Amino acid sequence: MDRSSKKGSKLACCFPVILDRSMKSSFKLSKSSSSDKLNKSKSSICSPTSLSMKKRDQENNHLVVCFGELLIDFVPTVSEVSLAEAPGFKKAPGGAPANVAVGIARLGGSSAFIGKVGADEFGYMLSDILKQNHVDNSGMRFDTHARTALAFVTLRADGEREFMFFRNPSADMLLTEAELDKDLIQKARIFHYGSISLIAEPCRSAHLAAMEIAKKAGCILSYDPNLRLPLWPSADAARKGILSIWDQADVIKVSEDEITFLTDGEDAYDDNVVMTKLFHPNLKLLLVTEGGEGCRYYTKNFHGRVNGIKVTAVDTTGAGDAFVGGLLNSMASDPDIYQDEKKLRNALLFANGCGAITVTEKGAIPALPTKEAVLKILDGATSNQISPTH
């Protein structure tokens, strides 16, 4: 998910799994139509307008608002070369929170994005891309004095990435608390964010204010640190910054590398390290992504693993975001899913499928899957009997 397979293997990313009969049946698309539902309640008569309003209200009840950066990734047209050696670059929309928002919408869910871009061609292009992908972009702001952030991304032989960022400062760093769409945040069922928006002011204060608004509104707070060391003043600043809001999240997703970084080098595979160093009293769900090996999950009452689906990794950009989008889309419909281990494993299986598909194409947003594509890859997956751990 966040990285491809273990060293030496090109097959990788993502996510073998348990796929028994009950899991398969839980992912079947509903064949019932709105007319079927109406026939079940003949006493109620709904006009097309009222049906559309009802649908919109239901979508708002499941709204996931994603906060943070939206930028342009420039990816070399040839893999396994340095930035200097690349003969050319292909531009692609990027930014982890925006990727998650599009991922949810691509799956048929309801999502919105809050962040800032430059009042430039790239900024307007990114806004249009969100709109084209059915993401509510009303919370976006445009800065007339700073440019949209750019990132040049090299693709190694294993499909992993290395970054060079251009933001001195970029528009996303300049979002202010006064520019926040508070009403949009308060409508959300889930408020999702990363750590890059914590690096510099005024965006850091805007981020903290947005979290406070979401918490007071009863939103589930979802946190993916998405460590990008080159953006921070130092490793120590990154560690302190990421952990400064750790205890406020309800759901946290981290990679193995991030565990090692945040715990000063402790064993990322040790359940005791995860539970004692990273799990906090208010946390509902902690997820550890393991690239091609799948993911682990931890709650107050149980923990376990859902393995990955073997695919050939072309580009791991956005795989972790696809995973998060898949999970949050499930949680938006069932906020208490973390309390039922069977339901949670089904949701993580689905999320793993989202990540697996994403690594098979270049770029993040273009590779994010539809629900039908995920169900297809899961239906073709080989069943592995792996028991949860208690």
Side-chain angles (χ1 to χ4, degrees):
M1 206 164 314
D2 292 298
R3 57 192 179 90
S4 60
S5 67
K6 303 298 177 186
K7 294 179 181 178
S9 174
K10 272 195 171 184
L11 267 185
C13 221
C14 292
F15 327 115
V17 293
I18 308 173
L19 194 62
D20 59 24
R21 187 182 304 274
S22 64
M23 282 185 169
K24 288 183 179 179
S25 63
S26 69
F27 288 118
K28 296 295 183 185
L29 289 171
S30 172
K31 294 181 179 178
S32 62
S33 65
S34 51
S35 60
D36 293 331
K37 293 175 183 177
L38 286 172
N39 287 335
K40 290 179 182 178
S41 180
K42 293 182 180 179
S43 60
S44 61
I45 301 176
C46 299
S47 68
T49 301
S50 63
L51 281 174
S52 132
M53 290 175 65
K54 183 177 180 181
K55 182 180 179 183
R56 187 162 59 249
D57 289 342
Q58 288 173 342
E59 287 176 350
N60 285 338
N61 287 339
H62 297 164
L63 178 65
V64 180
V65 172
C66 301
F67 175 94
E69 68 279 4
L70 176 58
L71 50 91
I72 301 288
D73 286 330
F74 284 89
V75 183
T77 53
V78 177
S79 299
E80 303 178 44
V81 297
S82 68
L83 290 175
E85 295 169 333
F89 296 88
K90 178 183 177 181
K91 69 178 186 294
N99 292 342
V100 172
V102 174
I104 290 167
R106 193 74 56 82
L107 293 169
S110 177
S111 65
F113 175 77
I114 291 178
K116 199 172 193 181
V117 293
D120 52 41
E121 289 301 312
F122 284 148
Y124 296 127
M125 182 193 83
L126 291 170
S127 177
D128 287 343
I129 286 172
L130 292 186
K131 186 175 181 180
Q132 290 162 14
N133 282 279
H134 308 292
V135 175
D136 183 343
N137 64 357
S138 61
M140 286 187 66
R141 301 294 179 258
F142 298 85
D143 197 296
T144 56
H145 302 293
R147 296 295 191 187
T148 301
L150 307 180
F152 286 80
V153 187
T154 60
L155 302 178
R156 301 197 310 246
D158 59 3
E160 275 299 320
R161 304 149 294 161
E162 294 174 357
F163 296 89
M164 181 188 295
F165 295 94
F166 286 76
R167 44 198 317 261
N168 284 315
S170 54
D172 60 291
M173 302 166 69
L174 302 177
L175 181 71
T176 66
E177 181 178 347
E179 292 175 307
L180 292 175
D181 188 333
K182 297 179 176 62
D183 290 338
L184 183 60
I185 296 172
Q186 290 168 341
K187 290 176 184 175
R189 174 164 283 183
I190 300 172
F191 183 69
H192 176 73
Y193 49 88
S195 69
I196 291 174
S197 45
L198 296 171
I199 296 173
E201 293 290 356
C203 190
R204 175 180 168 79
S205 292
H207 183 147
L208 297 177
M211 286 176 57
E212 183 67 20
I213 294 166
K215 196 73 172 178
K216 286 182 178 178
C219 301
I220 295 170
L221 299 190
S222 166
Y223 185 23
D224 177 1
N226 193 36
L227 176 65
R228 294 289 180 264
L229 267 179
L231 294 178
W232 292 86
S234 67
D236 188 52
R239 191 176 294 106
K240 287 179 180 177
I242 288 171
L243 293 175
S244 68
I245 59 170
W246 195 264
D247 62 354
Q248 297 182 55
D250 299 299
V251 178
I252 296 176
K253 173 258 177 193
V254 289
S255 67
E256 299 162 285
D257 291 340
E258 287 166 344
I259 293 176
T260 301
F261 175 77
L262 294 172
T263 61
D264 288 318
E266 296 206 39
D267 186 0
Y269 300 94
D270 188 334
D271 290 339
N272 290 326
V273 168
V274 174
M275 292 301 292
T276 59
K277 299 284 186 177
L278 299 178
F279 203 93
H280 64 76
N282 298 321
L283 194 57
K284 295 178 172 66
L285 176 63
L286 177 63
L287 299 163
V288 179
T289 56
E290 299 181 342
E293 301 303 313
C295 68
R296 283 176 277 156
Y297 58 89
Y298 300 84
T299 72
K300 292 177 182 177
N301 300 317
F302 52 77
H303 65 275
R305 175 191 299 276
V306 177
N307 289 342
I309 300 163
K310 296 295 183 182
V311 296
T312 301
V314 173
D315 177 12
T316 59
T317 303
D321 303 329
F323 172 88
V324 172
L327 175 66
L328 295 186
N329 189 53
S330 297
M331 287 196 75
S333 300
D334 187 358
D336 295 325
I337 200 168
Y338 66 92
Q339 296 179 349
D340 185 318
E341 189 166 15
K342 183 178 179 181
K343 285 184 178 180
L344 177 61
R345 290 178 64 81
N346 285 348
L348 292 175
L349 166 59
F350 185 85
N352 282 348
C354 293
I357 291 174
T358 302
V359 305
T360 62
E361 296 182 33
K362 284 189 177 183
I365 287 178
L368 293 168
T370 62
K371 183 175 182 179
E372 290 76 13
V374 179
L375 296 178
K376 184 176 179 180
I377 196 174
L378 293 180
D379 194 51
T382 303
S383 178
N384 286 318
Q385 187 58 45
I386 303 169
S387 300
T389 309
H390 297 276

